[in-house]
Amino acid sequence: MKKIECIIRPARLEAVKEALGRFGIHGMTVTHVIGCGLQQGKTEFYRGSQYKVDLLPKVKIEIVVKDDWVDGVINVIKSNAFTGEIGDGKIFVYPVEDAVRIRTGERGDDAI
C-alpha cells in the first residue's frame, strides 16, 4: 500500500475530488493548509501599508491506495490539478506498512 499526499490549489479541489471518485477513490482526507514554494507569495496593501503574504492557502489531499493504483491516481491528480502556472502543487508517495479498519478489524488492502 502507498499513501499519496498532494498539495494543490483550493480552486482545483472539486475537479480533483470528482475525478478521483470516477476513478474509484471514495476515501480521502482533505485539509486546508498554508505554505510557500516557488510561487513566492504576493505583495498586498492594507490601510496604505504594503506587506508581503508569504504563505498562500492550499489544500492537502491524503489517500491510501493499493500499490497497483498509484500511477493511475497520480495521473488523475496531475491532469485535474494542472493550470500550467507556478503553484500548481506537488504529489508525494509514501510506503504504508499496514492499515486497520477500526469497525471490523480488517487489515491491509481489505481495510482501505
Side-chain angles (χ1 to χ4, degrees):
M1 292 178 294
K2 300 282 192 250
K3 177 181 181 183
I4 299 173
E5 197 173 276
C6 65
I7 311 291
I8 62 171
R9 296 173 184 271
R12 303 305 306 152
L13 174 61
E14 283 304 313
V16 170
K17 189 175 75 166
E18 288 174 11
L20 287 170
R22 287 191 302 273
F23 187 79
I25 303 292
H26 302 292
M28 65 184 73
T29 301
V30 177
T31 310
H32 293 277
V33 297
I34 57 174
C36 61
L38 292 177
Q39 210 170 0
Q40 299 293 317
K42 57 187 174 184
T43 302
E44 293 193 1
F45 289 90
Y46 179 72
R47 293 189 177 182
S49 298
Q50 180 179 345
Y51 67 99
K52 185 168 176 134
V53 179
D54 296 303
L55 301 175
L56 300 172
K58 299 289 181 180
V59 173
K60 178 166 72 169
I61 302 172
E62 299 170 88
I63 308 163
V64 177
V65 298
K66 297 176 184 181
D67 288 334
D68 54 341
W69 284 38
V70 172
D71 290 333
V73 170
I74 289 172
N75 288 332
V76 167
I77 294 168
K78 279 182 8 183
S79 62
N80 286 278
F82 178 81
T83 67
E85 299 174 11
I86 292 175
D88 275 351
K90 296 252 184 341
I91 301 172
F92 304 98
V93 180
Y94 307 97
V96 174
E97 273 189 45
D98 200 3
V100 179
R101 185 182 309 254
I102 295 172
R103 181 177 53 85
T104 63
E106 294 170 297
R107 296 185 79 121
D109 288 347
D110 294 334
I112 58 172

